[in-house]
Amino acid sequence: MAEDKNENLNPEQEINQEDTVENQVEETTAEDQDTDNVEEQETAEVSSNEEELGKVQQELGEMKDKYLRLYSEFENYRRRTSKEKLDLIKNANEELIKDVLTILDDFERAQKNTKTETEEGEKIMEGLDLIKSKLAKQLEGKGLKEIEDSTGKDFDMDIHEAITQIPAPSDDLKGKVVDVIEKGYTLNDKVIRYAKVVVGA
């Protein structure tokens, strides 16, 4: 039947039909080419996007690293300044207390040299004891502590200042503290005056 239909077509219709078939073939070829072009473009875009993603991820990693370093530095700075502030507040009176220590020394010298044989001498000694103990309590309240008597103990550079060396009275006192000339003190565990000592040689 299809052949009969083609036979019934006039030459002009046959040419039109052939043109239509050729046009359809060309359109199909063009569509295939367009599809190929689109696929190539998509592949190129995917490749480009992957490169950009890689760059962005690398930049993000670098930024994270910088952020962590800055954060760490800031935390260290904050801790250090907080500690410095606390130390400053704790030891704000250091210079004043150092000056008051000389008065405390004077009280001790006065006590040693006051004669208690008379009633008047005893009253003076009581007054000196009372004033010295009040002053010492006030200073202790501010964090002042006396370095304990080191006589007979090893010389310690962290708390002692050797003012002289003498021949040791006995072999067991060699390199040890023989006498304490001036007491040492700490303020909030920081040495503000080293104990002046005589060391056995």
Side-chain angles (χ1 to χ4, degrees):
M1 288 292 287
E3 287 177 9
D4 291 343
K5 280 184 180 178
N6 285 339
E7 285 174 8
N8 292 335
L9 293 175
N10 63 32
E12 209 173 281
Q13 286 177 331
E14 281 181 23
I15 291 170
N16 284 341
Q17 194 174 16
E18 286 175 9
D19 286 346
T20 305
V21 170
E22 283 177 12
N23 286 340
Q24 286 176 348
V25 169
E26 285 175 6
E27 284 175 8
T28 305
T29 306
E31 284 175 7
D32 289 345
Q33 286 177 347
D34 287 346
T35 304
D36 290 344
N37 288 342
V38 167
E39 285 177 1
E40 285 175 10
Q41 285 177 348
E42 286 177 354
T43 305
E45 283 178 15
V46 167
S47 176
S48 173
N49 287 344
E50 284 176 356
E51 285 177 18
E52 282 183 32
L53 180 63
K55 285 179 185 176
V56 168
Q57 285 176 335
Q58 184 179 353
E59 286 175 11
L60 179 64
E62 289 171 5
M63 295 296 276
K64 276 185 180 178
D65 186 51
K66 282 181 184 177
Y67 168 76
L68 289 173
R69 287 174 192 268
L70 281 172
Y71 181 77
S72 176
E73 284 177 21
F74 177 73
E75 281 298 306
N76 290 339
Y77 167 77
R78 192 175 60 77
R79 277 193 220 107
R80 189 173 62 248
T81 52
S82 295
K83 186 180 181 301
E84 286 171 1
K85 278 183 187 176
L86 285 173
D87 288 345
L88 186 64
I89 291 166
K90 278 171 70 175
N91 299 319
N93 299 327
E94 183 177 332
E95 291 303 316
L96 176 64
I97 290 174
K98 278 183 184 177
D99 292 338
V100 173
L101 288 179
T102 58
I103 298 168
L104 208 56
D105 293 338
D106 290 340
F107 272 112
E108 287 178 4
R109 280 191 279 275
Q111 284 176 315
K112 283 180 185 174
N113 294 320
T114 301
K115 296 178 181 175
T116 56
E117 295 157 0
T118 62
E119 190 178 323
E120 191 177 317
E122 284 180 13
K123 286 182 181 178
I124 291 171
M125 183 62 89
E126 282 177 22
L128 288 173
D129 284 342
L130 183 65
I131 295 168
K132 184 194 166 209
S133 64
K134 278 187 177 180
L135 181 60
K137 277 185 184 177
Q138 288 295 319
L139 293 173
E140 282 172 19
K142 303 295 180 194
L144 184 75
K145 285 184 185 171
E146 184 181 312
I147 294 173
E148 64 180 63
D149 188 1
S150 304
T151 305
K153 295 182 180 175
D154 289 331
F155 176 77
D156 183 354
M157 289 178 60
D158 292 332
I159 57 172
H160 297 139
E161 180 185 338
I163 56 170
T164 188
Q165 278 189 331
I166 61 167
S170 60
D171 287 343
D172 60 329
L173 285 176
K174 284 186 178 179
K176 296 191 177 183
V177 175
V178 176
D179 191 17
V180 177
I181 305 301
E182 187 177 73
K183 291 180 180 178
Y185 291 91
T186 62
L187 180 64
N188 297 314
D189 300 323
K190 176 188 172 189
V191 177
I192 60 169
R193 189 171 87 180
Y194 293 91
K196 291 181 173 61
V197 297
V198 177
V199 181

Coordinates of all heavy atoms in Angstrom, one line a residue, residues 36-71:
D36 N 25.8 17.0 22.0 CA 27.3 16.8 22.3 C 27.9 18.1 22.8 O 28.7 18.1 23.8 CB 28.0 16.4 21.0 CG 27.7 15.0 20.6 OD1 27.1 14.3 21.4 OD2 27.9 14.6 19.4
N37 N 27.5 19.2 22.3 CA 28.0 20.5 22.7 C 27.6 20.8 24.2 O 28.4 21.3 25.0 CB 27.6 21.7 21.8 CG 28.2 21.7 20.5 OD1 29.3 21.1 20.3 ND2 27.6 22.4 19.5
V38 N 26.4 20.5 24.5 CA 25.8 20.7 25.8 C 26.6 19.8 26.8 O 27.0 20.3 27.9 CB 24.3 20.5 25.9 CG1 23.8 20.4 27.3 CG2 23.6 21.5 25.2
E39 N 26.8 18.6 26.4 CA 27.6 17.6 27.3 C 29.0 18.1 27.5 O 29.5 18.1 28.7 CB 27.6 16.2 26.7 CG 26.2 15.5 26.8 CD 26.2 14.2 26.2 OE1 27.3 13.8 25.6 OE2 25.2 13.5 26.2
E40 N 29.6 18.6 26.5 CA 31.0 19.1 26.6 C 31.0 20.3 27.5 O 31.9 20.5 28.4 CB 31.6 19.5 25.2 CG 32.0 18.3 24.4 CD 32.4 18.7 23.0 OE1 32.5 19.9 22.7 OE2 32.6 17.8 22.1
Q41 N 30.0 21.2 27.3 CA 29.9 22.4 28.2 C 29.7 22.0 29.7 O 30.3 22.6 30.6 CB 28.8 23.3 27.7 CG 29.1 24.1 26.5 CD 27.9 25.0 26.0 OE1 26.8 24.8 26.5 NE2 28.2 25.8 25.1
E42 N 28.8 21.1 29.9 CA 28.5 20.6 31.2 C 29.8 20.0 31.9 O 30.1 20.2 33.0 CB 27.4 19.6 31.2 CG 26.0 20.2 31.0 CD 24.9 19.2 31.0 OE1 25.2 18.0 31.0 OE2 23.7 19.6 30.9
T43 N 30.5 19.2 31.1 CA 31.8 18.6 31.5 C 32.8 19.6 31.9 O 33.4 19.6 32.9 CB 32.4 17.6 30.5 OG1 31.4 16.7 30.1 CG2 33.6 16.9 31.0
A44 N 32.9 20.6 31.0 CA 33.8 21.7 31.3 C 33.4 22.5 32.6 O 34.3 22.9 33.4 CB 33.9 22.7 30.1
E45 N 32.1 22.7 32.7 CA 31.6 23.5 33.9 C 31.9 22.7 35.2 O 32.3 23.2 36.2 CB 30.1 23.7 33.8 CG 29.8 24.9 32.8 CD 28.3 25.1 32.7 OE1 27.5 24.6 33.5 OE2 27.9 25.8 31.7
V46 N 31.6 21.3 35.1 CA 31.9 20.5 36.3 C 33.3 20.5 36.6 O 33.7 20.7 37.8 CB 31.4 19.0 36.0 CG1 31.9 18.1 37.0 CG2 29.9 18.9 35.9
S47 N 34.2 20.4 35.6 CA 35.7 20.5 35.9 C 36.1 21.8 36.5 O 36.8 21.9 37.5 CB 36.4 20.2 34.6 OG 37.8 20.4 34.7
S48 N 35.5 22.9 35.9 CA 35.8 24.2 36.4 C 35.3 24.4 37.9 O 36.0 24.9 38.7 CB 35.1 25.3 35.5 OG 35.2 26.5 36.1
N49 N 34.1 23.9 38.1 CA 33.5 23.9 39.5 C 34.3 23.1 40.5 O 34.5 23.5 41.6 CB 32.0 23.4 39.5 CG 31.1 24.4 38.8 OD1 31.4 25.5 38.6 ND2 29.9 23.9 38.4
E50 N 34.8 22.0 40.1 CA 35.7 21.2 40.9 C 36.9 21.9 41.3 O 37.4 21.9 42.4 CB 36.0 19.8 40.3 CG 34.8 18.8 40.3 CD 35.1 17.6 39.6 OE1 36.2 17.4 39.0 OE2 34.3 16.7 39.6
E51 N 37.5 22.6 40.3 CA 38.7 23.4 40.6 C 38.5 24.5 41.6 O 39.2 24.7 42.5 CB 39.3 24.0 39.3 CG 40.0 22.9 38.4 CD 40.5 23.6 37.1 OE1 40.5 24.8 37.0 OE2 40.7 22.8 36.1
E52 N 37.3 25.2 41.3 CA 37.0 26.3 42.2 C 36.7 25.8 43.6 O 37.1 26.4 44.6 CB 35.7 27.0 41.7 CG 36.0 28.0 40.5 CD 34.8 28.7 40.1 OE1 33.9 29.0 40.9 OE2 34.7 29.0 38.9
L53 N 36.0 24.6 43.7 CA 35.7 24.0 45.0 C 37.0 23.7 45.7 O 37.2 23.9 46.9 CB 34.9 22.8 44.8 CG 34.5 22.0 46.1 CD1 33.6 22.9 47.0 CD2 33.7 20.7 45.8
G54 N 38.0 23.1 45.0 CA 39.3 22.8 45.6 C 40.0 24.0 46.1 O 40.5 24.0 47.2
K55 N 39.9 25.1 45.3 CA 40.5 26.4 45.8 C 39.9 26.9 47.0 O 40.5 27.3 48.0 CB 40.5 27.4 44.7 CG 41.5 27.2 43.5 CD 41.3 28.3 42.5 CE 42.2 28.0 41.3 NZ 42.0 29.0 40.2
V56 N 38.5 26.9 47.0 CA 37.7 27.4 48.1 C 38.0 26.6 49.4 O 38.2 27.1 50.5 CB 36.2 27.4 47.8 CG1 35.4 27.6 49.1 CG2 35.9 28.4 46.8
Q57 N 38.1 25.2 49.2 CA 38.4 24.4 50.4 C 39.8 24.6 50.9 O 40.0 24.7 52.1 CB 38.3 22.9 50.0 CG 36.8 22.5 49.9 CD 36.7 21.0 49.4 OE1 37.6 20.5 48.7 NE2 35.5 20.4 49.7
Q58 N 40.7 24.9 50.0 CA 42.1 25.2 50.5 C 42.1 26.5 51.2 O 42.7 26.6 52.3 CB 43.0 25.2 49.3 CG 44.5 25.5 49.7 CD 45.4 25.5 48.4 OE1 45.0 25.3 47.3 NE2 46.7 25.8 48.7
E59 N 41.4 27.5 50.7 CA 41.4 28.8 51.3 C 40.7 28.7 52.7 O 41.1 29.3 53.7 CB 40.6 29.8 50.5 CG 41.4 30.3 49.3 CD 40.6 31.2 48.3 OE1 39.5 31.7 48.7 OE2 41.1 31.5 47.2
L60 N 39.6 27.9 52.7 CA 38.9 27.7 54.0 C 39.8 27.1 55.0 O 39.9 27.5 56.2 CB 37.7 26.8 53.8 CG 36.8 26.5 55.0 CD1 36.2 27.8 55.6 CD2 35.7 25.5 54.6
G61 N 40.6 26.1 54.6 CA 41.6 25.4 55.5 C 42.6 26.4 56.1 O 42.9 26.4 57.3
E62 N 43.1 27.3 55.2 CA 44.1 28.3 55.6 C 43.4 29.3 56.6 O 44.1 29.7 57.6 CB 44.6 29.0 54.4 CG 45.5 28.2 53.5 CD 45.9 28.9 52.2 OE1 45.5 30.0 52.0 OE2 46.6 28.2 51.4
M63 N 42.2 29.7 56.3 CA 41.5 30.6 57.2 C 41.3 30.0 58.5 O 41.4 30.7 59.6 CB 40.2 31.1 56.5 CG 40.3 31.9 55.3 SD 41.2 33.4 55.5 CE 39.8 34.4 56.0
K64 N 40.9 28.7 58.5 CA 40.7 28.0 59.8 C 41.9 28.0 60.6 O 41.9 28.2 61.8 CB 40.2 26.6 59.6 CG 38.7 26.5 59.4 CD 38.3 25.0 59.3 CE 36.8 24.9 59.0 NZ 36.4 23.5 58.9
D65 N 43.0 27.7 59.9 CA 44.3 27.6 60.6 C 44.7 29.0 61.2 O 45.1 29.0 62.3 CB 45.4 27.1 59.6 CG 46.7 26.9 60.3 OD1 46.8 26.2 61.3 OD2 47.8 27.4 59.8
K66 N 44.5 30.0 60.4 CA 44.8 31.4 60.9 C 44.0 31.7 62.1 O 44.4 32.3 63.1 CB 44.6 32.4 59.8 CG 45.7 32.5 58.8 CD 45.4 33.5 57.7 CE 46.5 33.6 56.6 NZ 46.2 34.5 55.6
Y67 N 42.7 31.4 62.0 CA 41.7 31.7 63.1 C 42.2 31.0 64.4 O 42.2 31.6 65.4 CB 40.3 31.2 62.7 CG 39.4 31.2 63.9 CD1 38.8 32.4 64.4 CD2 39.0 30.0 64.5 CE1 38.0 32.4 65.4 CE2 38.1 30.0 65.5 CZ 37.6 31.2 66.0 OH 36.8 31.2 67.1
L68 N 42.5 29.7 64.3 CA 42.9 28.9 65.4 C 44.2 29.5 66.1 O 44.3 29.6 67.3 CB 43.1 27.4 65.1 CG 41.9 26.6 64.8 CD1 42.2 25.2 64.3 CD2 41.0 26.5 66.0
R69 N 45.1 29.9 65.2 CA 46.4 30.5 65.7 C 46.1 31.8 66.4 O 46.6 32.1 67.5 CB 47.4 30.7 64.6 CG 48.0 29.5 64.1 CD 48.9 29.8 62.8 NE 49.3 28.6 62.1 CZ 50.4 27.9 62.4 NH1 51.2 28.4 63.3 NH2 50.7 26.9 61.7
L70 N 45.3 32.7 65.8 CA 44.9 33.9 66.4 C 44.2 33.7 67.7 O 44.4 34.4 68.7 CB 44.1 34.8 65.5 CG 44.8 35.5 64.4 CD1 43.8 36.1 63.4 CD2 45.7 36.6 65.0
Y71 N 43.2 32.8 67.7 CA 42.5 32.5 68.9 C 43.4 32.0 70.1 O 43.3 32.5 71.2 CB 41.4 31.4 68.6 CG 40.5 31.1 69.8 CD1 39.5 32.0 70.2 CD2 40.8 29.9 70.6 CE1 38.7 31.7 71.3 CE2 40.0 29.6 71.7 CZ 39.0 30.5 72.0 OH 38.2 30.2 73.1

